[in-house]
Amino acid sequence: METLMVDRVHGSLRLFMHRNAVFLCERLCAQFPSETNVQLLATCYLHNNQPYAAYHILKGKKLPESRYLFAMSCFRMNLLREAEDTLCPVNEPNIEVPNGATGHYLLGMIYRCTGRMSAAAEQFTQALTLDPLLWAAYEELCILGVAEDADECFSEATALRLQQEHASTSALEKSNFANENRILSSSLPSSLGDIIPNQMKQLHANNTAEVPGYPHARATALRVQNSTTSNVAQFDTPSPAATQTSSIVPPPLFRNVHAYQTTISGDAPTKQKANGANQPLRRKYLDEARLKKVSGRLFNQSSDSMPRRSARLSRETTINSNSNSNLSQFGGNGTDHSSGKLRVNSSTPSKLCSTAVRSVQVRKGKPRATENFDEGSRYEVIDEMWTDNVPATSSTASTTEGRFFEQDKAERIMSQESKVAIGIRELLGLLRTLGEGFRLSCLFKCQEALEVFRKLPESQFNTGWVLCQVGKAYFELVDYLEADHYFELAHRLSPCTLDGMDIYSTVLYHLNAEMRLSYLAQELISIDRLSPQAWCAVGNCFALRKDHETALKNFQRAVDERHYNAWYGLGVVYLRQEKFEFAEHHFRRAFQINPRSSVLMCYLGMALHSLKRNEEALDMMEKAIAADKKNPLPKYQKALILSGLQKYAEALEELERLKEIAPHESSMYALMGKIYRQLNILDKAVFCFGIALDLKPPAADLAIIKSAMEKVHLPDELMDDDL
């Protein structure tokens, strides 16, 4: 009952029937309240989004698996201190973290959420050391900026280690299976001695007749008797009375040759040997009518298949002669695959099957003859996987066949090991490319990351995750058109993927694609309205419509410690609301997460300039220009700051350099016109204002530029500083 219930619980979990799994597992724990079953119930609770229930039933448990599940429940409930104390108790410093690599990963996540980044990196490194294929740990190390090169993490040494682990695991599984069969072999004779005298075996088969007395089991009977007074094989017949009154289910089909040999080789318990010696010899030949009845009952054979008496006597003579030579051979020239037995043609000598059956040599002086009924000889099919443990006969053909079989088996094993080695190297090669690209992307070495991602095969490159990484790289490079292209491909390929969609919405914001941004926000809300990506998209929508208050509320709902784009969005809103202290705080938080972003440096410098901290602002603009020489925004902002400091010559030099990068920016020409007006170079001022108007500036800037152009010839005190 317990095994059945555990199996059904696992089946429900596999089919995502979490409520059903919880119900069945609660019944299981009520009937069999072991800690292992409690762990299974806690797993069901966690799958059913009930961490509080798992917390309640696991509190105080000491087994490693229980500690891990309890820590996971605490983590899900944001009880980070209790989760940490469970994984590494303070009063037990030498205790191991439960669940190996995953336990260290969970502890690293706890450290990261509590701001202990160096300790988190140490735990993630330990997790990756224990399990080189734990991608989540490498991903966290990349985000923290401390990941080693992917070539070192997924190296050839790692491949050799994984091969050794796979080989040892396979050997352990085979050893465990062999041990189970040896236990069966050692316990089988004593258990059968009280049930079936004279080493009789009743073997299960799927396609054989039903045995009377066992209405729910279908079996084949193979009964062999060892005579202590003669080397002549004797036949042992079933006892109808014993069969009908016994309530014991027949033993399972022997899949292990060791168990089979133990049963037929004469190594029975002493009690059984004594009983066999005292029993009178049974008749060698059975009455024909009774034999028909018995064979029909056991093997469901029709009378049409009965051989003639002369042929039967001939086979019996052959069996006796084989018994005198102390050999008992199983063989046939035809195989019945549906019943799992071999059929022997009575008109031809028995031959060895080349692969499926091997001859069995029994101990000298203790021959065994195969059971022979009127319908013909029947032999047990020995599983091919065990035939290498069966001694070969003195036959030269059998020895040769055994040698070929062993050679073929060795070749198959080598082929399998070669496939495993190739598979491990291919997987590590793929992870090496993906890992290095992601590491460079997290370090904001975007051009290098793009070069690595382009090395991927087409099937891997054209996936949502890789396309999003490429889009992010172009976004950091301020190439919004290319970023839009790859994000659109990723969203089309994986429309329900949320990762990266916050950055995609920011790309659309910078491109002023209001309609597409609104549609994207609606899609993300329909997928998961509580996700930070959805709130970021909605916030960008309202920011694009100049509804800063509503945008601010949406950005606040999305913020987490690693979401630099949300910090950036909040900073932009505060900057436009002229809440410069808040703007500087949020830009700085975003800059700490992404210290290589030219855009973040520029906006942080703008906030500092608004706070009249011009020297700090200039330093930040210089860093932004150095981070991305093709980004026009920091160059313009630097010229604007220099103009405010009345360093007009330096401002004009910066604007001339900007003209080479962005020759069609109306705001650049408007600022040049203002500087020329301050330098009293009026003709150039009018010329620059005219170009700015010809470039069709935004409506908000259009009126300002016209007003400045009309006031060029007015005295300085009548000029405004709107530009």
Side-chain angles (χ1 to χ4, degrees), residues 497-515:
T497 299
L498 295 175
D499 291 340
M501 292 299 102
D502 52 329
I503 299 179
Y504 184 27
S505 67
T506 306
V507 170
L508 296 178
Y509 166 83
H510 285 294
L511 294 176
N512 293 316
E514 183 176 354
M515 183 179 298

Side-chain angles (χ1 to χ4, degrees), residues 232-233 314-327:
V232 180
S314 175
R315 285 198 302 272
E316 290 169 353
T317 304
T318 304
I319 291 174
N320 291 334
S321 62
N322 289 338
S323 300
N324 292 330
S325 63
N326 293 330
L327 290 177

Side-chain angles (χ1 to χ4, degrees), residues 123-143:
Q123 293 300 320
F124 292 140
T125 302
Q126 182 66 20
L128 201 60
T129 301
L130 295 174
D131 184 2
L133 299 182
L134 188 58
W135 169 261
Y138 187 78
E139 189 176 40
E140 292 294 336
L141 288 171
C142 291
I143 292 171

Side-chain angles (χ1 to χ4, degrees), residues 35 72 77 80 154 204 265 267 303 378 385 457 523 622:
E35 186 165 343
M72 180 60 72
M77 298 169 65
L80 302 181
F154 307 107
H204 286 287
S265 61
D267 293 338
S303 60
R378 294 182 174 274
M385 68 179 293
E523 282 188 309
E622 291 289 353

Side-chain angles (χ1 to χ4, degrees), residues 89-101:
V90 178
N91 56 350
E92 299 180 62
N94 296 325
I95 192 171
E96 291 185 358
V97 176
N99 260 35

Side-chain angles (χ1 to χ4, degrees), residues 587-657:
F587 285 137
R588 198 171 291 280
R589 289 295 299 271
F591 179 65
Q592 290 173 353
I593 300 172
N594 186 353
R596 294 177 177 269
S597 173
S598 175
V599 174
L600 290 180
M601 295 177 191
C602 182
Y603 272 89
L604 179 56
M606 291 166 62
L608 293 171
H609 173 57
S610 300
L611 292 171
K612 308 302 182 183
R613 295 157 60 179
N614 294 318
E615 293 300 326
E616 295 180 54
L618 279 175
D619 289 341
M620 192 57 64
M621 292 304 172
E622 291 289 353
K623 292 180 180 179
I625 293 172
D628 185 4
K629 299 184 182 302
K630 295 183 179 180
N631 186 1
L633 184 59
K635 294 180 180 294
Y636 174 79
Q637 291 296 328
K638 179 183 177 182
L640 189 61
I641 295 172
L642 291 172
S643 175
L645 295 175
Q646 297 183 355
K647 298 181 179 180
Y648 299 123
E650 296 179 30
L652 286 174
E653 289 178 5
E654 196 64 46
L655 290 173
E656 288 295 333
R657 287 191 288 267

Side-chain angles (χ1 to χ4, degrees), residues 71-315:
M72 180 60 72
S73 303
C74 294
F75 184 78
R76 297 268 294 269
M77 298 169 65
N78 206 31
L79 302 175
L80 302 181
R81 172 53 69 89
E82 194 167 358
E84 179 183 349
D85 291 341
T86 302
L87 292 175
C88 50
V90 178
N91 56 350
E92 299 180 62
N94 296 325
I95 192 171
E96 291 185 358
V97 176
N99 260 35
T102 54
H104 285 283
Y105 174 79
L106 178 58
L107 187 57
M109 293 297 293
I110 294 170
Y111 286 147
R112 186 182 64 76
C113 291
T114 53
R116 292 171 286 177
M117 300 306 176
S118 59
E122 182 180 349
Q123 293 300 320
F124 292 140
T125 302
Q126 182 66 20
L128 201 60
T129 301
L130 295 174
D131 184 2
L133 299 182
L134 188 58
W135 169 261
Y138 187 78
E139 189 176 40
E140 292 294 336
L141 288 171
C142 291
I143 292 171
L144 292 175
V146 295
E148 62 180 354
D149 290 350
D151 290 339
E152 298 179 6
C153 183
F154 307 107
S155 61
E156 183 66 24
T158 304
L160 294 175
R161 174 188 158 192
L162 290 175
Q163 292 178 43
Q164 293 173 356
E165 291 179 356
H166 181 272
S168 62
T169 302
S170 300
L172 180 61
E173 291 176 354
K174 292 179 180 179
S175 175
N176 291 338
F177 187 72
N179 288 337
E180 292 175 0
N181 282 278
R182 280 196 291 270
I183 293 172
L184 173 64
S185 176
S186 61
S187 62
L188 196 57
S190 60
S191 63
L192 292 181
D194 298 332
I195 302 172
I196 310 175
N198 301 324
Q199 302 282 5
M200 293 189 302
K201 298 192 300 178
Q202 294 179 325
L203 306 178
H204 286 287
N206 293 330
N207 298 317
T208 57
E210 196 171 273
V211 180
Y214 306 118
H216 301 294
R218 303 179 66 85
T220 300
L222 179 61
R223 305 175 183 277
V224 183
Q225 178 186 10
N226 178 26
S227 175
T228 59
T229 59
S230 173
N231 286 335
V232 180
Q234 304 293 329
F235 293 101
D236 192 10
T237 59
S239 173
T243 304
Q244 293 171 2
T245 58
S246 175
S247 61
I248 300 173
V249 178
L253 174 65
F254 290 110
R255 305 302 296 171
N256 192 336
V257 165
H258 297 301
Y260 179 78
Q261 285 180 306
T262 304
T263 306
I264 67 172
S265 61
D267 293 338
T270 307
K271 180 179 177 180
Q272 282 186 309
K273 289 184 177 181
N275 292 339
N278 294 331
Q279 288 180 352
L281 293 177
R282 296 178 180 267
R283 293 182 305 155
K284 183 175 181 179
Y285 302 110
L286 299 174
D287 180 76
E288 184 170 349
R290 184 180 176 188
L291 185 56
K292 289 182 180 180
K293 181 179 179 181
V294 173
S295 63
R297 183 173 71 243
L298 292 178
F299 300 104
N300 198 20
Q301 292 284 345
S302 64
S303 60
D304 295 340
S305 62
M306 300 288 292
R308 297 181 62 86
R309 181 176 179 84
S310 58
R312 188 171 68 251
L313 293 176
S314 175
R315 285 198 302 272

